[in-house]
Amino acid sequence: MSLIVALDPPEGVDGVKWCINLIERIDGVPKGFKVGLPLVVKEGIKGLREVVSVMNNELVIADLKLADIGYVMSLITKTVANAGVNTVIAHAFVGIEGALSELSHVCSELGIKLVLVTFMSHPGAVRVMKKVFSNLLDIAKEINAWGVVLPATMPNIVKVGRECLGPSFKILAPGVGAQGAAPGDALCAGADYEIVGRLITRAENPLKVTLEVVKKQEERVRACRGL
Amino acid sequence: MSLIVALDPPEGVDGVKWCINLIERIDGVPKGFKVGLPLVVKEGIKGLREVVSVMNNELVIADLKLADIGYVMSLITKTVANAGVNTVIAHAFVGIEGALSELSHVCSELGIKLVLVTFMSHPGAVRVMKKVFSNLLDIAKEINAWGVVLPATMPNIVKVGRECLGPSFKILAPGVGAQGAAPGDALCAGADYEIVGRLITRAENPLKVTLEVVKKQEERVRACRGL
């Protein structure tokens, strides 16, 4: 149970209906769902609430990649919490004082899990993020975030993150499937959850593919742990 | 005409009505308006469209501080462009390949001005952003952004930005008023626009305060240029 499914509706569809249809087809299998900013911008909080209302999962994640001052990030977090979200993703990059300290405080009060992006997988991100990667991990530790995002496509980065953070932080790893990582790669490198999007959501039979991904994760983890 | 007004509705009000009321009271005076993510998350694209429809300004800015991969930022930009926005703000931090190159391309196609955050003013941002400030300015130059965001509260940073970027980039400087910078400070340091929020939007008579801010900007600029 280390699978999170990213719900990013394609252009030109009714995003709310599309998400609800997918959730109903695979619900019960993934540990959680992640909804992104495109859906929220298009449908507003009303649409988000509709989508979230059909989820029966432990993790209901708003991946808005918040990167603003504390006041603004807190306002948005209160709004999505009110719609039923229990986890938000923000950028470690914006720092603590005047930004993540305030957000972290609001998250504690609301019982929201805070996850920080500490590395991204697209080629352009590496240029800047590599220089400040250890700072970003330090920020996650200092505010005692619930978890961090590290790319499944870069297992070495996941390993460094796990070594630096220790066992108590959750590591969420996107990039499995369409972006190239195989199910289980990031788990073997130290991640707690792998995030899969298009591989499942664009499949003709999403339930079948979801079950296959879970099976592959389990096989790969058994193999890398020598079980 | 170097004033942009940031419309950030307080909690507990009808954000769309609040924005429309303010726009109607001061429209014609500011060069543009900036709408943030809290409003968009709450009201969705429908609410944004309503707000934008009453603006008669040169700059209609969606300050979503986009910080994601190119595909996601492009999707969101298409959505807000469709609502009448003509300028979007993204983070330089996410880099070019796989991120801003794609966004920049979409912006050109849609006739959208792209503005990049290259520094933020809250204390926590300084820790990380100072280390990569020159990289972030280089990124703005390389993708030929329309403009950058630099804090009015740090005139020295605005000066460095102007020297590095040359005269063809626009500099937008938030932080005037409630955050401590005086009207005209950033203009004297090299900015093209100053962004004012609460000082105007929370005033009893927003039009009066708007006109005062413009007058102070003009006086300050005349003084620092020795006119």
Side-chain angles (χ1 to χ4, degrees), chain A residues 4-24:
Chain A
I4 294 166
V5 174
L7 296 170
D8 290 310
E11 286 180 86
V13 305
D14 179 324
V16 173
K17 274 191 197 157
W18 184 92
C19 287
I20 290 175
N21 176 263
L22 254 159
I23 295 163
E24 288 178 343

Side-chain angles (χ1 to χ4, degrees), chain A residues 18-187:
Chain A
W18 184 92
C19 287
I20 290 175
N21 176 263
L22 254 159
I23 295 163
E24 288 178 343
R25 288 178 79 173
I26 63 174
D27 205 16
V29 186
K31 185 81 169 182
F33 286 106
K34 177 175 92 70
V35 173
L37 193 53
L39 179 83
V40 176
V41 167
K42 220 170 153 188
E43 310 290 346
I45 201 65
K46 199 171 148 276
L48 180 64
R49 187 175 287 122
E50 271 185 73
V51 168
V52 166
S53 71
V54 299
M55 293 180 186
N56 298 299
N57 307 72
E58 203 173 310
L59 296 173
V60 178
I61 307 172
D63 181 14
L64 309 179
K65 293 202 178 62
L66 298 172
D68 212 315
I69 56 170
Y71 174 70
V72 172
M73 296 195 292
S74 300
L75 261 184
I76 296 166
T77 298
K78 285 177 196 169
T79 306
V80 297
N82 196 26
V85 161
N86 65 25
T87 310
V88 298
I89 299 182
H91 273 283
F93 177 63
V94 295
I96 296 177
E97 227 186 322
L100 295 171
S101 57
E102 201 172 329
L103 177 59
S104 160
H105 183 73
V106 167
C107 285
S108 299
E109 278 187 348
L110 297 172
I112 295 283
K113 297 175 184 78
L114 178 56
V115 174
L116 299 183
V117 178
T118 50
F119 213 93
M120 295 174 82
S121 62
H122 60 280
V126 178
R127 171 169 169 185
V128 178
M129 294 194 111
K130 218 170 186 175
K131 285 189 188 156
V132 289
F133 182 39
S134 68
N135 296 97
L136 301 183
L137 291 172
D138 285 345
I139 287 169
K141 284 201 278 189
E142 282 175 42
I143 66 153
N144 198 21
W146 181 76
V148 301
V149 174
L150 291 171
T153 46
M154 300 178 178
N156 283 337
I157 292 286
V158 175
K159 267 184 207 161
V160 172
R162 176 56 74 203
E163 277 163 27
C164 169
L165 294 170
S168 66
F169 288 78
K170 301 294 178 190
I171 296 178
L172 285 67
V176 177
Q179 284 177 62
D185 280 0
L187 298 178

Side-chain angles (χ1 to χ4, degrees), chain B residues 8-227:
Chain B
D8 291 310
E11 286 180 85
V13 304
D14 178 324
V16 172
K17 274 192 196 158
W18 183 91
C19 287
I20 290 176
N21 177 264
L22 254 160
I23 296 162
E24 288 179 341
R25 288 179 79 172
I26 63 173
D27 206 15
V29 185
K31 186 79 169 184
F33 286 105
K34 179 175 90 69
V35 173
L37 192 53
L39 180 82
V40 176
V41 167
K42 219 170 154 188
E43 311 290 346
I45 202 63
K46 199 169 151 276
L48 180 65
R49 185 177 288 120
E50 270 186 73
V51 168
V52 166
S53 71
V54 299
M55 292 180 187
N56 297 296
N57 306 72
E58 206 173 307
L59 296 174
V60 179
I61 308 171
D63 181 14
L64 308 180
K65 293 204 179 58
L66 298 171
D68 213 312
I69 57 170
Y71 173 71
V72 172
M73 296 195 292
S74 300
L75 260 183
I76 297 166
T77 297
K78 285 177 196 170
T79 306
V80 297
N82 194 26
V85 162
N86 66 24
T87 310
V88 297
I89 298 182
H91 272 283
F93 177 63
V94 294
I96 296 178
E97 228 187 321
L100 294 170
S101 58
E102 200 172 327
L103 177 60
S104 160
H105 184 74
V106 166
C107 285
S108 298
E109 278 187 350
L110 297 171
I112 295 282
K113 298 175 184 79
L114 177 56
V115 174
L116 298 182
V117 178
T118 50
F119 212 94
M120 294 174 82
S121 62
H122 60 280
V126 177
R127 170 170 169 185
V128 178
M129 293 195 111
K130 218 171 187 174
K131 284 190 189 157
V132 290
F133 183 38
S134 68
N135 296 95
L136 300 183
L137 291 172
D138 285 345
I139 286 169
K141 284 201 278 190
E142 281 174 44
I143 65 152
N144 198 22
W146 181 77
V148 301
V149 174
L150 291 171
T153 44
M154 299 178 178
N156 282 337
I157 292 286
V158 175
K159 267 183 206 161
V160 172
R162 176 56 75 203
E163 276 163 27
C164 169
L165 294 169
S168 66
F169 287 78
K170 302 295 179 190
I171 295 178
L172 286 67
V176 177
Q179 283 179 61
D185 280 0
L187 299 177
C188 287
D192 298 282
Y193 304 104
E194 290 181 334
I195 302 173
V196 182
R198 283 164 279 176
L199 179 68
I200 288 173
T201 63
R202 304 289 200 271
E204 261 193 53
N205 187 337
L207 179 59
K208 186 170 161 250
V209 177
T210 306
L211 294 169
E212 278 168 10
V213 167
V214 171
K215 199 175 160 224
K216 278 184 197 163
Q217 283 181 321
E218 287 167 354
E219 285 171 1
R220 179 85 176 77
V221 167
R222 263 200 302 276
C224 73
R225 294 195 185 144
L227 300 172

Side-chain angles (χ1 to χ4, degrees), chain A residues 176-178 181 183 196-204 206 209-210 213 216:
Chain A
V176 177
V196 181
R198 284 164 279 176
L199 180 68
I200 287 173
T201 63
R202 304 288 199 272
E204 262 193 52
V209 177
T210 305
V213 168
K216 279 183 197 163

